Amino acid sequence: MKGNVPVGGDHPVTVQTMTRGDTADVEASVAEIRALAAAGAEIVRVAVPGARAARAIAAIKPEIPVPLVADIHFSPALAFLAIEAGADCIRINPGNIGKHREAVREICRRCRDRGISMRVGGNEGSVMERRGIEVVELDGDPVEKMVGEVLESLAILEEEGFRDIVVSVKSHDPLDTIRAYRLVAAQCDYPLHLGVTHAGAGEPAVIKSATALGALLAEGIGDTIRVSLTGDAAGEIRAGREILRSLGLRPRRLEVYACPSCGRADVDVARLAAEVEEMVRDLAEGRELSLRVAVMGCEVNGPGEAARADVGIAAGRGWGYIMRGGRVLEKVEAGRLVERLRRHILAFTRGEAGEGAAGAREGAAPEGGGAP
Amino acid sequence: MKGNVPVGGDHPVTVQTMTRGDTADVEASVAEIRALAAAGAEIVRVAVPGARAARAIAAIKPEIPVPLVADIHFSPALAFLAIEAGADCIRINPGNIGKHREAVREICRRCRDRGISMRVGGNEGSVMERRGIEVVELDGDPVEKMVGEVLESLAILEEEGFRDIVVSVKSHDPLDTIRAYRLVAAQCDYPLHLGVTHAGAGEPAVIKSATALGALLAEGIGDTIRVSLTGDAAGEIRAGREILRSLGLRPRRLEVYACPSCGRADVDVARLAAEVEEMVRDLAEGRELSLRVAVMGCEVNGPGEAARADVGIAAGRGWGYIMRGGRVLEKVEAGRLVERLRRHILAFTRGEAGEGAAGAREGAAPEGGGAP
């Protein structure tokens, strides 16, 4: 449990993020966390770089609807303050706090007494040794070293009988991230927090997270995820949810899928799909709409793919079929396709039989044979 | 081989896409394919919905720098025309051409005689039966059915002694896609063309492709990939390359990675990273720049992560360290960071020793201990 949110076991994989503002600014932090929660963040982490930030947690906590994780580095004293302030979870980093074994024991005891969970969060970037102004990468495989440090910290917590733990072993490199989580999953059965650290910004960063987390989640590894995107917490949540949806780990509330279009298409599929998306989003506004809508531009895969959707369009030149569950409901002229689709979606969501199914008999079958 | 591009074995995984225009329009097709090749497409496929499109290939081929795949559905006659016209590879879809066993044999013989390769491309959407205007999903697991149809077609080709084959088994669902390719990889050792079909548009579609292809490529499955994006061939290539880069399957020519920023950061990391990206892109214009640049906003992971990059900034409040290979080169005031970084990158790309390393001794060491 992180606060009232279960993590691990058969519970749904959660999406989390981290605030960007100064944690010590209570009002701004509350506003930021509420906005992130509204956007879908199920757990939010805050940086705790100093005592003011740690103490601010006491004022932030009662005002927010999601569990709060305090991100602690270097300093056991800050962990004690964050525990005192009522954080739901304390994240420690074995790479920079692991040497203080006695302090880690004490953090763990205080968390146990208060029912607070801990994240043991390794990070490849902190598995370095600083010698004066030089930063030296130590000998050996950094992934194995990071995992080793995490396992050492876990052993300390276990000696205290503490098991309310989430584990992470992030690298900035997707392959190293996959390797690290596989290693740690083979050696402990705590819930795992997945992420690629310092992924950067924009599409390349989203793709790094999606390939690494996709590989792990498809193997059944991972219980909560964070996508790291420079300066874009809302984007982190959006991408995190899409990653889960893509692997069937979240219901696909509303999905419009379309063929990529090719020289075979008789219609502008991209434009038609955009119109359908807009119409469907408009319909979905303010209601729970679980719906798969297909927009297909040709006879090759169109009817087959449209058949797998709840409702769909298989478009031809100047007209299209509206389909539902494998049946052609109507043949409609191009200009009225979106409007008719809207009516059929409304009928579908009301649980009514396919409206206009009779009209289908007027339409010709999709041609089975191509030219010439 | 697809034309002069090797696919499979130890050869690099290639990125391919498909044109959107009318293949029969030779001038437009040549322009489109050239633009796609310039954007990084290594193989381009064209739809062949009719005889005019098939014949146009003869005029298109000499004008383009990449192998051309002719996408054939339903009609063996179109395959014969495309072979005659000099396509480098003929894609057939067992779901709609597989019943014509004798015709598939003949396609295969003609391809063999001319040194043309074939793609046997299954597609979940075409594994359906049409009964009049109804489209019926057949009994049984559609993934196994698709894979079964592909294996049947492969057996026909093998009976003809033909082995110059690439195989694909796409679903619109990432999990089914992963399952289908694992099944087919276990049962044949032809090179595999990976893709999630009808993924849709934008970030959700990119993420579907990245999770599915990431899982497969990380297992060593896949030799050429296509990301399907509605109406955006250039986006397909960009996303495809990023997927390969993320898994170390393409050199990371130029990579700026940045921490996501948090309450711990003393600087606006997103803005600084954007400035660095712009500067570096400008530097990279027209030259092969293999470079990893880190932009980090705090003392926790900053110096460690920056040390893994070729060059990097670990920024503090009003100043930052410029680092190279784990050494602090300079402590620079905030306003001059990007400009100084640029000089160091130029020195780095010229193979010079770290410029200004002496200056580093003036700078204080990154603090090892956090507040309070």
Side-chain angles (χ1 to χ4, degrees):
Chain A
M1 299 293 292
K2 288 191 180 184
N4 57 352
V5 173
V7 173
D10 293 333
H11 296 292
V13 179
T14 49
V15 173
Q16 55 178 285
T17 185
M18 194 167 179
T19 59
R20 303 309 206 256
D22 176 7
T23 309
D25 182 340
V26 172
E27 204 174 322
S29 293
V30 167
E32 187 176 359
I33 294 168
R34 282 184 178 166
L36 294 172
E42 287 149 315
I43 296 167
V44 173
R45 181 160 47 121
V46 296
V48 183
R52 285 182 57 241
R55 293 197 185 97
I57 290 171
I60 295 168
K61 259 296 294 174
E63 305 297 325
I64 59 171
V66 288
L68 193 72
V69 182
D71 198 54
I72 307 290
H73 295 270
F74 304 114
S75 162
L78 290 177
F80 300 147
L81 287 174
I83 292 166
E84 198 68 36
D88 296 296
C89 177
I90 303 293
R91 181 265 172 116
I92 60 166
N93 182 340
N96 57 40
I97 209 169
K99 296 146 213 157
H100 311 289
R101 295 177 73 94
E102 265 320 302
V104 169
R105 259 179 227 289
E106 183 59 27
I107 293 170
C108 163
R109 283 191 291 261
R110 295 193 191 185
C111 282
R112 189 186 52 204
D113 291 348
R114 290 169 178 260
I116 293 172
S117 63
M118 289 179 71
R119 168 151 80 101
V120 176
N123 194 314
E124 214 187 3
S126 39
V127 184
M128 300 262 180
E129 195 171 281
R130 297 182 194 168
R131 296 183 187 140
I133 59 168
E134 309 278 305
V135 180
V136 181
E137 194 167 336
L138 299 173
D139 288 342
D141 176 2
V143 167
E144 285 179 17
K145 195 161 157 30
M146 167 174 59
V147 171
E149 287 195 343
V150 164
L151 293 174
E152 270 177 45
S153 293
L154 292 176
I156 298 174
L157 272 53
E158 285 164 1
E159 281 167 26
E160 296 296 324
F162 190 81
R163 299 210 156 253
D164 193 4
I165 302 168
V166 174
V167 175
S168 65
V169 282
K170 301 186 183 181
S171 163
H172 73 276
D173 180 88
L175 282 179
D176 282 347
T177 301
I178 294 170
R179 199 155 56 93
Y181 280 97
R182 283 181 181 157
L183 270 175
V184 89
Q187 290 177 79
C188 73
D189 56 5
Y190 295 112
L192 298 180
H193 163 127
L194 304 186
V196 173
T197 194
H198 306 133
E203 189 175 271
V206 167
I207 285 176
K208 277 188 209 172
S209 294
T211 54
L213 274 50
L216 290 165
L217 291 163
E219 290 175 19
I221 294 177
D223 301 280
T224 180
I225 69 172
R226 182 199 178 190
V227 173
S228 288
L229 293 180
T230 303
D232 183 10
E236 292 184 357
I237 300 161
R238 196 177 60 233
R241 288 155 71 107
E242 287 299 339
I243 288 170
L244 295 182
R245 273 193 203 110
S246 79
L247 296 168
L249 296 168
R250 280 295 166 93
R252 293 183 180 133
R253 284 263 166 77
L254 176 61
E255 189 177 21
V256 176
Y257 60 93
C259 70
S261 177
C262 68
R264 192 178 296 279
D266 282 330
V267 292
D268 183 343
V269 181
R271 198 169 60 86
L272 183 61
E275 283 173 24
V276 169
E277 278 230 39
E278 195 186 330
M279 176 273 285
V280 174
R281 260 181 229 302
D282 190 47
L283 267 185
E285 185 90 27
R287 66 168 102 181
E288 287 279 324
L289 196 54
S290 177
L291 190 71
R292 290 158 62 84
V293 182
V295 181
M296 297 291 145
C298 84
E299 64 182 319
V300 174
N301 304 302
E305 284 290 344
R308 304 190 152 263
D310 295 314
V311 286
I313 291 175
R317 191 186 299 274
W319 52 268
Y321 293 111
I322 292 183
M323 308 196 56
R324 175 168 159 187
R327 287 169 63 215
V328 174
L329 297 181
E330 283 197 272
K331 185 176 179 179
V332 180
E333 59 184 283
R336 293 179 57 232
L337 268 172
V338 178
E339 169 211 333
R340 290 300 301 166
L341 183 67
R342 185 173 184 282
R343 291 186 67 102
H344 287 292
I345 288 173
L346 283 170
F348 175 85
T349 57
R350 286 193 301 263
E352 290 169 21
E355 186 192 318
R361 294 188 199 109
E362 299 159 21
E367 281 170 34
Chain B
M1 298 294 292
K2 288 191 181 184
N4 57 352
V5 173
V7 173
D10 294 332
H11 296 293
V13 179
T14 49
V15 173
Q16 55 178 287
T17 186
M18 194 166 177
T19 59
R20 302 311 204 254
D22 176 6
T23 309
D25 182 338
V26 172
E27 203 174 324
S29 293
V30 167
E32 188 177 359
I33 293 168
R34 282 184 179 168
L36 294 172
E42 288 148 316
I43 296 166
V44 173
R45 182 160 47 121
V46 296
V48 182
R52 285 184 54 244
R55 292 197 186 97
I57 290 172
I60 294 169
K61 260 294 295 174
E63 305 297 325
I64 58 170
V66 288
L68 193 73
V69 182
D71 199 53
I72 306 291
H73 295 270
F74 304 113
S75 162
L78 290 177
F80 300 147
L81 286 175
I83 291 166
E84 199 67 36
D88 296 295
C89 176
I90 302 293
R91 181 260 171 119
I92 61 166
N93 183 342
N96 57 39
I97 210 169
K99 296 146 213 157
H100 312 290
R101 296 178 71 95
E102 266 319 304
V104 169
R105 260 179 227 288
E106 183 59 27
I107 293 170
C108 161
R109 283 192 290 262
R110 295 195 191 182
C111 282
R112 190 187 50 205
D113 290 348
R114 290 169 178 260
I116 293 172
S117 62
M118 288 179 72
R119 168 149 82 99
V120 175
N123 194 314
E124 215 187 2
S126 39
V127 184
M128 302 260 178
E129 195 169 282
R130 298 182 195 169
R131 296 183 187 141
I133 61 167
E134 307 279 303
V135 179
V136 181
E137 192 165 338
L138 299 173
D139 288 342
D141 175 2
V143 168
E144 285 178 17
K145 196 162 156 32
M146 167 175 60
V147 171
E149 286 196 344
V150 164
L151 293 174
E152 271 177 44
S153 293
L154 291 177
I156 299 175
L157 272 53
E158 284 164 1
E159 281 166 27
E160 296 296 324
F162 190 81
R163 300 210 154 253
D164 193 4
I165 301 168
V166 174
V167 175
S168 64
V169 282
K170 302 185 184 183
S171 164
H172 73 277
D173 179 87
L175 282 178
D176 282 348
T177 301
I178 294 171
R179 197 155 57 92
Y181 279 98
R182 282 181 182 157
L183 271 174
V184 90
Q187 290 176 80
C188 74
D189 56 5
Y190 295 112
L192 298 179
H193 164 126
L194 304 187
V196 173
T197 193
H198 307 135
E203 189 176 270
V206 168
I207 285 176
K208 276 189 209 170
S209 294
T211 55
L213 274 49
L216 290 165
L217 291 164
E219 290 175 19
I221 294 176
D223 300 280
T224 179
I225 69 173
R226 183 199 178 190
V227 174
S228 287
L229 293 180
T230 303
D232 183 10
E236 292 184 357
I237 300 162
R238 198 178 57 233
R241 288 155 69 107
E242 286 299 338
I243 288 171
L244 296 182
R245 272 192 203 113
S246 80
L247 296 168
L249 295 168
R250 280 296 166 94
R252 292 184 180 131
R253 283 263 165 78
L254 176 62
E255 189 177 20
V256 176
Y257 60 93
C259 69
S261 178
C262 69
R264 193 178 295 280
D266 283 328
V267 292
D268 183 344
V269 181
R271 198 170 59 85
L272 183 60
E275 285 174 22
V276 169
E277 280 230 37
E278 196 187 328
M279 176 273 285
V280 173
R281 259 180 230 302
D282 190 48
L283 267 185
E285 185 90 28
R287 66 167 103 183
E288 288 278 325
L289 195 54
S290 175
L291 190 70
R292 290 159 62 86
V293 182
V295 181
M296 298 291 144
C298 83
E299 63 183 318
V300 174
N301 304 302
E305 284 291 345
R308 302 189 153 265
D310 295 315
V311 286
I313 291 176
R317 191 188 298 275
W319 52 268
Y321 292 109
I322 292 183
M323 309 194 56
R324 176 168 157 188
R327 286 167 65 215
V328 174
L329 296 182
E330 281 197 273
K331 184 175 179 181
V332 179
E333 60 186 282
R336 293 180 56 231
L337 268 172
V338 178
E339 168 210 333
R340 290 301 299 167
L341 183 67
R342 185 173 185 282
R343 292 188 66 102
H344 286 293
I345 288 172
L346 284 171
F348 175 85
T349 56
R350 285 193 302 261
E352 291 171 17
E355 187 193 317
R361 296 190 195 107
E362 298 158 22
E367 281 171 33

